[in-house]
């Protein structure tokens, strides 16, 4: 008989991806999901919620986190449907466009929605400033983004879906945060029994 192999532990997490329409949520997710990191120039606007999954290994462990990524429409028309689909989130990525003051201002509205859906549970999250490739059109500074993230208790990241820059970091950060939270809760439960 050969050596016994440890089983891979899969931990699942529901991750909401929220922001105003046209901030690049779908392009960010599709680029992140793509093994070739190809940026598609044409996207259909998300109607309601699209759900995609990705399994990400946690470094130096036998565990993986399976992210259920809820790509939520930013249109007001779908807000009720998005609210129903987003109950009990584990993680959140709030996205804004660095060239749009309106998308930046709406971040707090989406954050409040997440807090309401979390039903008192803390939700780990990041604030992602997208479209940093548009340097000449940028109106939201990194400092303003970091300040808002700090105010909301989120971690700030920025990048460009179009240029495939900075996209992996927020996802890997959230995977590690979720794994730590899961491990801490599991250890606490073991101590109680």
């Amino acid at each position: 008989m050969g050596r016994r192999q440890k089983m891979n532990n899969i931990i699942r997490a529901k991750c909401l991806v929220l922001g105003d329409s046209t901030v690049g949520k779908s392009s960010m997710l599709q680029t992140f999901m793509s093994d070739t990191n190809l940026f598609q120039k044409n996207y259909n606007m998300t109607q309601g919620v699209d759900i995609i999954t990705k399994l990400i290994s946690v470094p130096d462990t036998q565990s993986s986190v399976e992210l259920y990524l809820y790509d939520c429409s930013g249109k007001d028309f779908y807000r009720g449907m998005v609210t129903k689909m987003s109950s009990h989130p584990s993680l959140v990525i709030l996205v804004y466009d660095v060239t749009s003051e309106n998308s930046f201002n709406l971040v707090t509205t989406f954050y409040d929605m997440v807090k309401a859906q979390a039903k008192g549970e803390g939700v780990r999250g990041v604030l992602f400033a997208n479209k940093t490739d548009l340097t000449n059109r940028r109106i939201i500074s990194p400092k303003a983004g970091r300040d808002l993230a700090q105010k909301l208790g989120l971690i700030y990241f920025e990048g460009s879906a179009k240029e495939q820059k900075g996209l992996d970091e927020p996802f890997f950060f959230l995977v590690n945060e979720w794994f730590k939270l899961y491990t801490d809760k599991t250890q606490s439960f073991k101590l109680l029994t």
Side-chain angles (χ1 to χ4, degrees):
M1 287 200 172
R3 260 189 316 152
R4 196 172 190 191
Q5 228 175 352
K6 278 189 172 182
M7 290 188 89
N8 190 11
N9 186 30
I10 297 176
I11 305 160
R12 290 172 179 85
K14 180 178 186 177
C15 181
L16 305 180
V17 183
L18 294 162
D20 195 17
S21 59
T22 72
V23 298
K25 299 178 300 291
S26 295
S27 61
M28 178 185 172
L29 287 170
Q30 292 304 320
T31 302
F32 175 68
M33 296 294 290
S34 169
D35 291 331
T36 59
N37 284 340
L38 288 177
F39 178 76
Q40 294 178 347
K41 292 182 180 181
N42 298 315
Y43 285 93
N44 292 325
M45 189 166 289
T46 304
Q47 298 180 6
V49 178
D50 289 338
I51 303 169
I52 52 179
T53 61
K54 184 162 185 166
L55 190 65
I56 300 173
S57 297
V58 179
D60 304 320
T61 71
Q62 295 292 319
S63 297
S64 297
V65 172
E66 186 173 29
L67 285 178
Y68 287 79
L69 297 158
Y70 283 57
D71 181 6
C72 303
S73 174
K75 287 281 191 198
D76 285 339
F77 180 79
Y78 296 108
R79 197 71 46 89
M81 177 188 202
V82 168
T83 301
K84 286 179 185 173
M85 293 289 291
S86 61
S87 65
H88 302 290
S90 311
L91 305 166
V92 65
I93 300 175
L94 295 173
V95 184
Y96 70 91
D97 173 350
V98 299
T99 70
S100 167
E101 190 171 353
N102 187 55
S103 74
F104 182 73
N105 292 335
L106 282 171
V107 165
T108 304
T109 301
F110 287 106
Y111 177 76
D112 290 342
M113 184 184 90
V114 170
K115 276 183 62 175
Q117 292 303 314
K119 312 279 190 228
E121 292 283 319
V123 178
R124 306 280 170 105
V126 301
L127 177 61
F128 187 78
N130 195 22
K131 302 187 184 182
T132 57
D133 56 294
L134 302 174
T135 53
N136 294 338
R137 293 177 42 203
R138 184 173 192 158
I139 58 174
I140 308 299
S141 70
K143 181 185 181 330
R146 283 191 296 273
D147 288 349
L148 180 59
Q150 184 176 14
K151 176 184 164 193
L152 300 177
L154 306 171
I155 304 299
Y156 177 78
F157 291 91
E158 66 174 39
S160 168
K162 182 178 181 184
E163 292 184 347
Q164 297 96 35
K165 289 186 179 172
L167 296 183
D168 292 347
E169 290 84 357
F171 292 99
F172 292 136
F173 171 81
L174 288 175
V175 162
N176 284 316
E177 287 296 301
W178 185 247
F179 178 73
K180 283 191 272 185
L181 182 65
Y182 173 84
T183 303
D184 290 347
K185 282 187 175 184
T186 303
Q187 292 303 323
S188 295
F189 182 71
K190 285 180 182 176
L191 290 173
L192 292 174
T193 56

